[in-house]
Amino acid sequence: MNYLEKKEQKLINTFLKKGYVIGKVENKKSLNDINQLIKKSLLKLDIFKEKKIDLNKFHKINKIKDLNKDRISIINFINSDKKFRLNYLNLAREHLYAIAGNELMMQKNINLSIQLPNDKSSLLPVHSDVWSGDSPYEINLWIPLVNCFKTKSMYILNKKNYSHFLKQMKKKKIKSSYQIFNLIKNKIKFINIKYGEFLIFDQTLPHGNIVNDENQTRWSMNCRFKSIFSPYGDKKVGEFFTPITTRATTYIGQNYKHPF
């Protein structure tokens, strides 16, 4: 028996059918706070000389050789902000609750991706997070800081083609990411998503990016969430995840001492 509300069930059905959902951010103030934090980090690092910052044009002032160093500095800066993770959760809290549950674990540090046009050094070859030790019980909340489309975005294998993909993997004994991409390149979907929207996707599905052929820089963030009581992979509580929405009965159960 399933007692989910119709709105929740519709969302779940869409997620299971497609492998992802796109929605409008649930808290615009949280998105604005994150955007301002990113820009503050750029001013602090003296990357931009003026207060008017266009992230789409980042490639015009940043060199590829400096990109990873600057990206890590920005990641460290934004993750040190006390409200950053709460703001990130608030971007899609209700969707996360519906898909993963309302007692959640959240990745301790949120990732930032910056992909300059024609930059071959920032590629993320086709992969599934589960192949490298993540739990299949995790989902990924992906937030664009600019409009992302075509090669300026990420791609994901269409869910309906996943069963066929598994059969082909076993049949052809494919091992390299190059072979995998050639196997699925006609079945992948590039995510078309605007600033002010979010993507929640099933990270068991193969996904990645290719060279950004657009004339704008891509900025996006991603963070994994899972139910507190669902199975874990190699990434454990304290090391990678931390609880963020623990409920009263869980506290009671964790601290209960039997009198006999």
Side-chain angles (χ1 to χ4, degrees):
M1 186 65 68
N2 193 334
Y3 294 126
L4 291 169
E5 295 181 358
K6 289 183 178 180
K7 184 178 179 180
E8 287 182 315
Q9 189 63 65
K10 183 179 180 181
L11 172 60
I12 290 170
N13 290 343
T14 299
F15 187 76
L16 292 175
K17 181 180 179 180
K18 298 176 64 175
Y20 67 91
V21 293
I22 293 175
K24 293 183 179 180
V25 296
E26 298 169 0
N27 190 313
K28 291 183 178 179
K29 182 180 183 305
S30 288
L31 179 61
N32 184 63
D33 287 349
I34 289 174
N35 189 43
Q36 292 305 312
L37 183 64
I38 293 287
K39 292 181 177 180
K40 183 178 178 181
S41 73
L42 293 173
L43 290 171
K44 185 176 179 64
L45 292 170
D46 203 30
I47 297 174
F48 277 87
K49 304 296 183 181
E50 55 189 39
K51 291 187 176 181
K52 187 177 180 181
I53 297 173
D54 186 348
L55 298 181
N56 281 298
K57 298 179 180 179
F58 186 65
H59 56 283
K60 293 187 176 182
I61 62 168
N62 187 272
K63 297 178 180 179
I64 290 176
K65 67 180 181 66
D66 298 324
L67 180 60
N68 195 52
K69 172 179 64 69
D70 291 339
R71 186 181 68 86
I72 291 173
S73 295
I74 297 168
I75 288 174
N76 290 336
F77 181 87
I78 60 178
N79 277 288
S80 67
D81 184 86
K82 293 181 179 180
K83 294 183 178 180
F84 178 50
R85 294 173 74 250
L86 174 59
N87 279 328
Y88 199 92
L89 168 67
N90 285 340
L91 298 179
R93 182 190 288 261
E94 295 304 317
H95 278 70
L96 291 169
Y97 282 177
I99 295 170
N102 65 6
E103 285 197 277
L104 292 175
M105 285 286 180
M106 181 179 184
Q107 187 174 324
K108 292 178 71 174
N109 290 307
I110 296 167
N111 295 319
L112 171 70
S113 295
I114 306 173
Q115 192 178 11
L116 308 181
N118 304 311
D119 177 16
K120 296 181 180 180
S121 68
S122 301
L123 299 184
L124 191 60
V126 60
H127 67 287
S128 161
D129 295 18
V130 179
W131 298 347
S132 57
D134 283 277
S135 167
Y137 291 83
E138 299 169 18
I139 55 176
N140 199 315
L141 174 58
W142 196 91
I143 304 293
L145 294 169
V146 292
N147 294 344
C148 294
F149 51 90
K150 298 181 179 178
T151 59
K152 191 191 170 189
S153 188
M154 62 166 278
Y155 64 77
I156 189 168
L157 178 66
N158 193 314
K159 178 73 171 182
K160 68 180 182 180
N161 294 306
Y162 187 65
S163 296
H164 179 69
F165 163 74
L166 292 178
K167 292 177 182 177
Q168 291 295 101
M169 284 285 287
K170 293 179 180 179
K171 181 180 178 180
K172 297 186 177 183
K173 298 181 179 179
I174 293 174
K175 295 182 179 180
S176 73
S177 60
Y178 176 79
Q179 289 175 308
I180 295 172
F181 183 75
N182 282 334
L183 181 65
I184 68 172
K185 63 182 180 181
N186 294 324
K187 304 295 183 182
I188 60 176
K189 177 178 177 57
F190 282 88
I191 301 298
N192 186 351
I193 185 169
K194 297 178 181 178
Y195 175 76
E197 297 179 328
F198 63 80
L199 167 74
I200 300 176
F201 70 93
D202 174 1
Q203 62 182 25
T204 68
L205 295 175
H207 57 279
N209 65 22
I210 61 174
V211 174
N212 177 8
D213 289 331
E214 317 308 321
N215 62 354
Q216 301 173 352
T217 299
R218 168 190 147 192
W219 288 72
S220 63
M221 300 178 293
N222 67 86
C223 181
R224 299 178 183 90
F225 293 83
K226 68 184 299 297
S227 171
I228 289 176
F229 298 108
S230 61
Y232 290 79
D234 293 339
K235 296 171 181 177
K236 307 296 184 183
V237 181
E239 301 170 2
F240 188 83
F241 285 105
T242 183
I244 56 168
T245 53
T246 310
R247 304 292 168 167
T249 52
T250 297
Y251 285 122
I252 292 170
Q254 289 174 334
N255 293 289
Y256 177 74
K257 292 180 174 57
H258 203 283
F260 303 107

